[in-house]
Amino acid sequence: MRALLLLSLLLLFPLTVPAEYLGDLSENKLNPDSIFTDLGAYGALSPTSPRNSIGLYGSAVSPYSATNPLAMDPPRLYDQEGNYRGKLSTNTLDPDSVSNPLGRYGSSLSPDSLKNPLGAGNPLDPGSPKNRYGRGWRIEGGQ
């Protein structure tokens, strides 16, 4: 009876882990939340930065890392409206990776890819991470 009650509670209230904000993917050097602003809170020296080579999200061996091609749960990208924009990952086989040349978020022909200068990677688009004066995309990680 207790097991049935516990199972029903887990189905009604699933255990969720909140995503951790890791900064913004933005080429804007004046954005304090950009991972490319070295002295900022999310720059290369931050323990949670995807650019920190010894951090959880930047280490080449971490299962949550953007630089580990075998990572199980790399950081995810979201635009300012909250739309999913792929995984910040070096995995060229993951269909959601920004490094997959044939994937939706990594192909230079896809309108959703950062590598398409006429699509999501348009430097004139105020919401694009390639815009040097924009906010860029939110990076979230979770364990």
Side-chain angles (χ1 to χ4, degrees), residues 60-77:
V61 296
S62 170
Y64 308 106
S65 175
T67 60
N68 179 356
L70 303 175
M72 301 301 288
D73 191 17
R76 295 163 305 282
L77 298 169

Side-chain angles (χ1 to χ4, degrees), residues 30-119:
L30 300 176
N31 178 355
D33 293 339
S34 173
I35 63 170
F36 299 111
T37 305
D38 289 332
L39 298 178
Y42 302 98
L45 299 177
S46 167
T48 60
S49 175
R51 293 186 56 223
N52 184 340
S53 62
I54 59 171
L56 183 63
Y57 298 104
S59 167
V61 296
S62 170
Y64 308 106
S65 175
T67 60
N68 179 356
L70 303 175
M72 301 301 288
D73 191 17
R76 295 163 305 282
L77 298 169
Y78 296 91
D79 62 18
Q80 286 109 354
E81 288 82 38
N83 299 315
Y84 178 69
R85 291 299 194 156
K87 295 177 184 173
L88 186 61
S89 170
T90 56
N91 186 342
T92 58
L93 300 177
D94 185 341
D96 284 352
S97 172
V98 295
S99 297
N100 183 340
L102 302 175
R104 175 180 178 185
Y105 303 106
S107 169
S108 60
L109 301 176
S110 171
D112 296 325
S113 173
L114 284 173
K115 295 180 182 168
N116 184 345
L118 301 176

